[in-house]
């Protein structure tokens, strides 16, 4: 099922993400995050969440999938208490995998995306997976493309994506280390910055860390 590829993307992201926001790296006014030369504005992020909330409520498959995965112990969405942080996390991940593809000269064509979608249950399954993770369906093809990039990079590194009991564990660990280096290099290139109202990148947890409120002299939160 396509969920295997999605789990691979999520698991790799959890292990690989590792960029820390520091106080000397301000985010441009109105930006929820900057990723390379691209800005994810607060209004864009809020629009994404609005669309997701409407689509998720209308898609029973997504709710059932999310519940089933949570019962299996998976953390989905990224932050169950914050749709906006979960959406931001996913949007940043898409951009990092795009940079990985550039760095590794990986090309993913429309036909490959179409094939992956068809092979894994069609749009209905893809949409359910995406909505379960807190993004609206308009990002379905980007989401699938990220999975294909991950598979290609893993293959280059010698890693086996998915459960393969016969895989040599030592070789697998070394391959995953190379995959980690690839991801971190792409993230470093992008110089990712997060608006403090949504948290910061946490290299220990591999995601967006909880928000830390700092009071200014006049008693208001610094944003």
């Amino acid at each position: 099922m396509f969920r295997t590829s999605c789990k691979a993307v999520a698991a790799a992201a959890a292990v690989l993400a590792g960029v820390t926001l520091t106080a000397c790296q301000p985010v441009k006014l109105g930006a929820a995050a900057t990723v390379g030369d691209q800005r994810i504005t607060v209004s864009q992020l809020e629009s994404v969440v609005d669309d997701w909330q409407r689509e998720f409520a209308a898609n029973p498959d997504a709710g059932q999938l999310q519940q089933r995965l949570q019962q299996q112990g998976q953390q989905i969405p990224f932050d169950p208490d914050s749709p906006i942080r979960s959406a931001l996390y996913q949007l940043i991940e898409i951009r990092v995998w795009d940079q990985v593809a550039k760095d590794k000269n990986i090309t993913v064509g429309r036909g490959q995306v179409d094939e992956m979608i068809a092979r894994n249950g069609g749009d209905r399954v893809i949409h359910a997976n995406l909505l379960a993770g807190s993004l609206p369906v308009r990002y379905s093809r980007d989401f699938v493309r990220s999975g294909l990039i991950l598979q290609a990079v893993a293959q280059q590194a010698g890693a086996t994506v998915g459960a393969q009991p016969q895989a040599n564990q030592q070789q697998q660990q070394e391959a995953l280390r190379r995959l980690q280096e690839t991801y971190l290099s792409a993230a470093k290139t992008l110089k990712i910055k997060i608006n403090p109202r949504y948290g910061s990148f946490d290299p220990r947890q591999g995601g967006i860390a909880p928000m830390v409120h700092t009071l200014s002299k006049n008693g208001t939160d610094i944003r």
Side-chain angles (χ1 to χ4, degrees), residues 149-160:
I149 294 168
L150 172 60
Q151 289 183 358
V153 177
Q155 186 176 14
Q156 287 183 1
T160 303

Side-chain angles (χ1 to χ4, degrees), residues 150-191:
L150 172 60
Q151 289 183 358
V153 177
Q155 186 176 14
Q156 287 183 1
T160 303
V161 178
Q164 298 290 339
Q166 71 276 20
N168 182 290
Q169 292 303 309
Q170 184 175 353
Q171 292 178 356
Q172 186 81 340
Q173 290 178 2
E174 177 61 23
L176 290 174
R177 184 189 63 78
R178 292 194 293 268
L179 183 60
Q180 178 183 15
E181 290 177 352
T182 298
Y183 185 97
L184 293 177
S185 177
K188 183 177 180 180
T189 297
L190 291 171
K191 299 179 180 179

Side-chain angles (χ1 to χ4, degrees), residues 9 22 28 34 69 94 101 113 118 127 134 137 144 158 160-161 164 168 178-179 181 190 193 206 213 215-216:
V9 173
T22 62
K28 294 180 181 179
T34 58
L69 294 173
I94 288 172
V113 174
H127 290 173
S134 295
V137 300
V144 174
T160 303
V161 178
Q164 298 290 339
N168 182 290
R178 292 194 293 268
L179 183 60
E181 290 177 352
L190 291 171
K193 305 177 185 69
H213 297 290
L215 295 180
S216 65

Side-chain angles (χ1 to χ4, degrees), residues 10-33:
V15 172
L16 305 176
V19 180
T20 306
L21 179 71
T22 62
C24 62
Q25 295 176 316
V27 178
K28 294 180 181 179
L29 183 64

Side-chain angles (χ1 to χ4, degrees), residues 59 62 122-133 135-138 140:
N59 190 313
D123 287 336
R124 176 176 177 175
V125 173
I126 304 303
H127 290 173
N129 275 273
L130 192 65
L131 289 168
L135 279 185
V137 300
R138 68 174 184 263
S140 293

